């Protein structure tokens, strides 16, 4: 064998060996880099959960101070004076309705019995395919009238007819229009409304008798600056309802309902009370909000292109009033309650949360120029960035943590001690925040008279972290993706069990009789 041939034989072996060594070094470097990246990501996720839970706790503490102040002033609230005063501004209650035949008449009767000096109820039948209009016609003796409908805000579906009660003083207006969606129905109601304050309520909601007085009081106390107020939304599932009023609040027996009770207390009552305290309130629930009509008209009414039209209206009002350089207030009032039926199945809940997060995504995209903009004060520098980081991106971080933390353990990027720290910060801390919310609600309002309701809510607070949060994170992520890809907007339908007296309630009524 020649030297040359030997070299030819050996050279590929050497080259392969060199390549193998280089490959091992390269793969080792990649593995180390991947482990480092996972460790850093897990640490960032841990910090994120610590920050989000701390921020919620701070909002609750802010709410506590506000609730204590209101409790001290409660005996001097002056609702009797407000109810009798000729200076209390009249209100138009706008109730959009679509296929609400089963309960619309009872809902309108309950609204007409609210305690308030001067108000009207404007029902807008948004092209229902059932007997919604017939039910109202039979209950209130409606007759069609000729009435010019102003065009103060744009409406997609034209108003086809307007109806009033026959020969009676009932302050009710019913309009039938072509189907255009909830926001479009609200816009039609805005055009029909006669009074300077607009109260937007859902057809399936139940209001406490003094709710309207409570949300209107800030307008009476500070008429030049207050432009909108919102009230608490509570879960009616399991409550005792008599004559269109919740007479005994209760925590639902179903676990899904109990979890939502805790959510609503933490986010819809205490969270929004905290934001209101610092002048950063962004969301007034569409189920119960009161607005100055002139400002709503000035900003163009409800945005029919945004599925989260209630929150979008509030942000647009902030934007308009800040651009105008006006001194104004948007206030959350924690005393009144609007009761609404919450989803009772995971399927319906998933559609709701997917829709909510899509609405949030669309809102933030539409008003992205405000985010971080000092021109918009606390709204631009605090509230909107908070919603981007801790609301919009929360499902992304939640699901990333569920993947990266176990992967980090498997590849040795994190140790078991980190897992325990993660669980304590992400879920243990969240449980503490929920329990604090329950304690504050019990101290401030004591709405639940039975101890088993309190313990039921505690069970809900614990169960929230065991699968519920993870499922809602997935639904919310899908809602964000729907908004980003421009998927068709679908509200879907919610199967409701309705508000009925339980056998126990009827029995107790019989005992009292």
């Amino acid at each position: 064998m020649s030297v040359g041939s030997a070299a030819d034989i050996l050279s590929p072996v050497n080259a392969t060996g060199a390549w193998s060594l280089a490959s091992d070094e390269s793969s080792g470097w990649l593995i180390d880099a991947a482990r480092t990246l996972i460790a850093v990501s897990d640490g960032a996720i841990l910090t994120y959960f610590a920050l989000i839970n701390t921020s919620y706790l701070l909002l609750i503490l802010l709410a506590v101070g506000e609730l204590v102040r209101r409790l001290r002033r409660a005996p001097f609230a002056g609702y009797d004076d407000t109810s009798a005063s000729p200076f209390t501004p009249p209100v138009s209650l706008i109730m959009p309705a679509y296929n609400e035949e089963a309960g619309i008449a009872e809902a309108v009767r309950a609204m007409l019995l609210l305690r308030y000096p001067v108000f009207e109820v404007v029902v807008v039948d948004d092209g229902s395919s059932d007997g919604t209009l017939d039910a109202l016609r039979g209950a209130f003796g409606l007759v069609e009238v000729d009435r010019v409908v102003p065009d103060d805000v744009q409406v997609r579906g034209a108003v086809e007819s307007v109806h009033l009660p026959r020969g009676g003083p009932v302050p009710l207006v019913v309009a039938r229009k072509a189907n255009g969606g909830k926001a479009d129905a609200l816009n039609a109601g805005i055009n029909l409304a006669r009074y300077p304050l607009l109260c937007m309520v859902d057809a399936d909601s139940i209001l406490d008798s003094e709710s309207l007085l409570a949300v209107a009081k800030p307008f009476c106390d500070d008429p030049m600056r207050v432009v909108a107020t919102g009230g608490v939304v509570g879960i009616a599932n399991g409550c005792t309802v008599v004559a269109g009023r919740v007479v005994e609040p209760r925590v639902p027996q179903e676990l899904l309902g109990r979890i939502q009770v805790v959510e609503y207390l933490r986010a819809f009552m205490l969270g929004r009370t905290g934001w209101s305290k610092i002048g950063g309130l962004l969301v007034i629930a569409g189920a119960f909000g009161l607005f100055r009509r002139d400002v709503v008209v000035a900003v163009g009414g409800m945005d029919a292109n945004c599925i989260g039209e209630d929150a979008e209206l509030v942000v647009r009002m902030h934007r308009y009033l800040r651009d105008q350089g006006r001194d104004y207030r948007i206030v959350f009032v924690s005393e009144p309650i609007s009761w609404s039926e919450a989803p009772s199945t995971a399927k319906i809940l998933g559609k709701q949360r997917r829709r909510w997060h899509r609405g949030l995504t669309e809102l933030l995209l539409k008003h992205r120029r405000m985010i971080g903009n000092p021109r918009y004060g606390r709204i631009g520098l605090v509230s909107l960035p908070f919603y981007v980081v801790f609301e919009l991106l929360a499902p992304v971080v939640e699901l990333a943590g569920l993947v990266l933390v176990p992967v980090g353990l498997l590849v040795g990027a994190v140790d078991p001690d980190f897992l325990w720290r993660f669980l304590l910060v992400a879920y243990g801390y969240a449980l503490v925040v929920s329990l604090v919310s329950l304690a504050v609600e019990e101290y401030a309002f004591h709405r639940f008279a039975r101890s088993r309701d309190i313990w039921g809510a505690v069970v809900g607070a614990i169960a929230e972290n065991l699968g519920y949060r993870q499922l809602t994170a997935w639904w919310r992520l899908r809602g964000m993706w729907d908004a980003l890809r421009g998927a068709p907007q679908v509200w879907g339908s919610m199967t409701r069990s309705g508000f009925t007296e339980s056998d126990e309630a009827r029995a107790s009524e019989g005992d009292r009789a």
Side-chain angles (χ1 to χ4, degrees):
M1 178 180 296
S2 65
V3 175
S5 62
D8 292 337
I9 294 173
L10 291 173
S11 58
V13 175
N14 294 336
T16 303
W19 177 86
S20 176
L21 180 61
S23 176
D24 290 343
E25 292 177 351
S26 175
S27 61
W29 179 86
L30 288 175
I31 292 173
D32 290 342
R35 287 175 175 170
T36 302
L37 180 61
I38 291 172
V40 171
S41 299
D42 286 346
I45 291 170
L46 181 68
T47 303
Y48 179 90
F49 278 113
L51 290 174
I52 191 172
N53 287 321
T54 300
S55 65
Y56 289 153
L57 187 59
L58 288 175
L59 286 172
I60 291 171
L61 294 177
L62 286 171
V64 169
E66 182 65 13
L67 291 175
V68 168
R69 185 183 69 85
R70 289 181 180 175
L71 286 173
R72 289 174 178 172
R73 295 178 58 185
F76 314 102
Y79 289 157
D80 290 338
D81 294 337
T82 303
S83 178
S85 174
F87 299 105
T88 301
V91 173
S92 295
L93 289 101
I94 304 175
M95 181 187 296
Y98 179 74
N99 289 350
E100 300 281 357
E101 176 185 6
I104 188 64
E106 188 64 28
V108 172
R109 286 193 188 97
M111 294 296 173
L112 291 171
L113 292 174
L114 289 173
R115 185 186 177 201
Y116 200 80
V118 180
F119 70 97
E120 64 175 352
V121 178
V122 180
V123 181
V124 182
D125 179 5
D126 189 42
S128 297
S129 57
D130 66 355
T132 297
L133 183 58
D134 292 334
L136 290 170
R137 185 183 288 117
F140 299 100
L142 300 180
V143 294
E144 186 173 346
V145 298
D146 292 328
R147 179 167 174 177
V148 176
V149 181
D151 57 354
D152 294 333
V153 296
Q154 186 177 359
V155 177
R156 291 176 176 175
V159 174
E160 299 169 349
S161 60
V162 178
H163 309 259
L164 298 176
R166 185 191 301 273
V170 180
L172 173 64
V173 179
V174 178
R176 167 82 176 184
K177 66 179 288 293
N179 181 261
K182 180 181 178 181
D184 198 54
L186 287 169
N187 283 337
I190 293 168
N191 287 335
L192 286 161
R194 295 182 297 154
Y195 294 140
L197 296 184
L198 306 174
C199 183
M200 302 180 188
V201 297
D202 288 344
D204 58 355
S205 293
I206 298 175
L207 302 186
D208 285 350
S209 59
E210 293 190 338
S211 293
L212 204 54
L213 286 171
V215 291
K217 197 167 189 310
F219 289 92
C220 301
D221 295 340
D222 193 0
M224 300 303 294
R225 294 196 300 158
V226 174
V227 297
T229 59
V232 176
V233 177
I235 290 180
N237 303 45
C239 296
T240 303
V241 180
V242 177
R245 293 286 180 269
V246 173
V247 297
E248 186 176 2
R250 293 183 178 179
V251 173
Q253 294 183 357
E254 299 78 12
L255 185 60
L256 193 63
R258 293 179 177 185
I259 295 172
Q260 291 177 83
V261 165
V262 177
E263 270 191 313
Y264 277 49
L265 285 176
R266 184 182 61 239
F268 293 171
M269 187 184 82
L270 298 177
R272 291 177 187 175
T273 301
W275 282 118
S276 178
K277 175 69 174 177
I278 64 173
L281 184 64
L282 287 186
V283 180
I284 290 178
F288 191 30
L290 191 62
F291 303 85
R292 269 182 48 178
R293 186 182 186 277
D294 61 332
V295 178
V296 173
V297 170
V299 301
M302 313 299 290
D303 184 357
N305 294 316
C306 184
I307 205 167
E309 75 287 335
D310 45 3
E312 195 281 330
L313 173 64
V314 177
V315 175
R316 191 152 28 97
M317 290 174 69
H318 278 298
R319 184 172 187 168
Y320 171 79
L321 294 167
R322 289 276 181 175
D323 287 341
Q324 294 286 318
R326 291 172 56 177
D327 184 17
Y328 70 96
R329 293 175 61 211
I330 295 179
V331 181
F332 186 78
V333 183
S334 57
E335 291 95 338
I337 282 284
S338 168
W339 300 93
S340 184
E341 189 173 357
S344 56
T345 67
K347 182 179 179 180
I348 298 171
L349 179 67
K351 291 180 179 179
Q352 181 198 64
R353 298 310 166 92
R354 186 172 176 177
R355 186 178 70 245
W356 283 4
H357 212 71
R358 174 177 182 155
L360 176 64
T361 306
E362 291 175 348
L363 181 157
L364 293 172
L365 286 173
K366 178 178 179 179
H367 298 285
R368 58 188 178 275
R369 186 173 67 86
M370 297 175 64
I371 301 172
N373 191 334
R375 176 175 184 174
Y376 299 101
R378 295 175 185 175
I379 300 300
L381 296 177
V382 179
S383 299
L384 285 171
F386 177 93
Y387 271 79
V388 171
V389 176
F390 294 132
E391 296 290 345
L392 180 67
L393 298 179
V396 178
V397 178
E398 179 102 23
L399 294 175
L402 292 176
V403 173
L404 291 176
V405 172
V407 170
L409 287 172
L410 288 174
V411 302
V414 297
D415 55 39
D417 288 340
F418 177 88
L419 175 62
W420 290 111
R421 290 197 299 272
F422 175 80
L423 292 175
L424 285 174
V425 171
Y427 300 109
Y429 195 177
L431 175 60
V432 170
V433 172
S434 295
L435 294 177
V436 170
S437 301
L438 288 173
V440 171
E441 195 281 337
E442 177 66 10
Y443 165 76
F445 299 105
H446 191 58
R447 290 194 177 100
F448 302 115
R450 306 183 308 173
S451 60
R452 61 178 170 175
D453 287 323
I454 303 299
W455 287 112
V458 171
V459 170
I462 297 171
E464 182 182 10
N465 297 292
L466 305 176
Y468 180 89
R469 276 182 54 177
Q470 294 76 19
L471 271 175
T472 55
W474 170 244
W475 293 326
R476 292 162 69 192
L477 186 64
R478 292 179 64 188
M480 183 194 302
W481 177 241
D482 289 341
L484 294 176
R485 67 188 179 93
Q489 294 183 354
V490 179
W491 275 86
S493 59
M494 175 172 166
T495 304
R496 301 182 185 275
S497 58
F499 306 121
T500 57
E501 289 187 66
S502 63
D503 293 337
E504 181 182 344
R506 285 192 291 269
S508 63
E509 287 290 332
D511 293 341
R512 285 193 292 270

